[in-house]
Amino acid sequence: AQSVAQPEDQVNVAEGNPLTVKCTYSVSGNPYLFWYVQYPNRGLQFLLKYITGDNLVKGSYGFEAEFNKSQTSFHLKKPSALVSDSALYFCAVRAYGGSQGNLIFGKGTKLSVKP
Amino acid sequence: EAGVAQSPRYKIIEKRQSVAFWCNPISGHATLYWYQQILGQGPKLLIQFQNNGVVDDSQLPKDRFSAERLKGVDSTLKIQPAKLEDSAVYLCASSLDHLSYEQYFGPGTRLTVT
């Protein structure tokens, strides 16, 4: 069965410092991987995706993610964090089989960026 | 382009009552998803439509939940009767088709069952 793990409930970073939000996955076949961000009282917003190609994927708001097949990881990164990056971040993998298209989400990681 | 619309944004009901949520996807999007997001968890798929047909409803509690997308555009999700454990945010998402990689989410409906 496909699954996603986000091992950290919360990540605390000082503004201007680099940030990493971790994600590991388990899927049969080639994974399609996604990162979404959720601000309070708002829906999920797409950040970036990995389908194929370069292992380093660049997305919205200066975020990037590195796909590592051997470690089955897809960590989200940003070189310099902003206070406005504080939000809930979800990693997701696309499922296969009878439910083509739907996403399986991790439990989320709360990112807190302090001034 | 207008995003995914959902209403109401908030709903409080007592257990055993019924409730309905409405979703209007992005124009032209054939695939529509309903997710349930319980506090502290990631969204979980309840049902997926392709046009007006159901692709996957394997995780929908069919004894109390129902959903329809009669004309292949907007959709309604109903709970009857509600239980305390149904308290959650119900998210609607849409994509161009079932092979599209990117899903667009609405703001969600926060349901509280007392």
Side-chain angles (χ1 to χ4, degrees):
Chain A
Q2 291 87 0
S3 65
V4 172
Q6 293 182 245
E8 302 152 318
D9 290 336
Q10 182 158 341
V11 171
N12 299 311
V13 179
E15 188 175 31
N17 283 1
L19 69 88
T20 299
V21 182
K22 296 179 180 178
C23 171
T24 58
Y25 65 89
S26 174
V27 65
S28 55
N30 294 323
Y32 294 168
L33 296 157
F34 305 81
W35 277 100
Y36 282 81
V37 59
Q38 187 174 38
Y39 297 99
N41 300 315
R42 296 177 65 177
L44 278 74
Q45 295 179 33
F46 171 81
L47 273 181
L48 50 80
K49 64 179 182 282
Y50 172 82
I51 305 300
T52 186
D54 288 342
N55 290 340
L56 187 63
V57 178
K58 294 188 182 299
S60 307
Y61 313 120
F63 284 93
E64 57 189 27
E66 187 170 9
F67 171 65
N68 188 317
K69 188 173 183 178
S70 62
Q71 296 185 6
T72 62
S73 67
F74 189 57
H75 300 333
L76 181 70
K77 300 180 180 182
K78 188 173 182 180
S80 179
L82 300 172
V83 173
S84 57
D85 293 330
S86 299
L88 195 53
Y89 290 80
F90 290 94
C91 182
V93 66
R94 180 161 161 173
Y96 289 87
S99 53
Q100 288 188 31
N102 76 297
L103 298 171
I104 295 175
F105 287 87
K107 62 178 173 62
T109 298
K110 182 179 179 181
L111 174 65
S112 179
V113 183
K114 301 295 185 184
Chain B
E1 134 185 296
V4 176
Q6 289 187 249
S7 67
R9 293 295 310 276
Y10 306 91
K11 189 75 177 177
I12 300 174
I13 62 172
E14 296 182 351
K15 59 183 178 183
R16 291 187 289 274
Q17 286 186 327
S18 63
V19 64
F21 312 129
W22 175 81
C23 171
N24 193 28
I26 293 173
S27 177
H29 280 194
T31 308
L32 185 147
Y33 311 81
W34 282 102
Y35 289 87
Q36 180 192 56
Q37 185 179 13
I38 293 173
L39 187 64
Q41 299 180 22
K44 182 187 78 172
L45 181 74
L46 291 175
I47 189 167
Q48 176 185 342
F49 292 95
Q50 178 70 16
N51 296 309
N52 61 351
V54 175
V55 174
D56 183 1
D57 62 357
S58 58
Q59 298 192 85
L60 187 74
K62 298 180 186 64
D63 58 333
R64 298 184 299 106
F65 286 64
S66 64
E68 59 184 16
R69 193 185 184 199
L70 293 176
K71 296 183 179 179
V73 181
D74 57 346
S75 174
T76 302
L77 177 70
K78 297 179 181 178
I79 307 175
Q80 182 180 9
K83 292 185 176 181
L84 296 177
E85 58 260 38
D86 297 332
S87 293
V89 175
Y90 291 85
L91 296 166
C92 179
S94 70
S95 62
L96 202 57
D97 57 44
H98 69 287
L99 296 178
S100 297
Y101 301 121
E102 191 167 331
Q103 295 182 21
Y104 298 84
F105 284 79
T109 297
R110 182 177 297 277
L111 173 68
T112 302
V113 182
T114 63

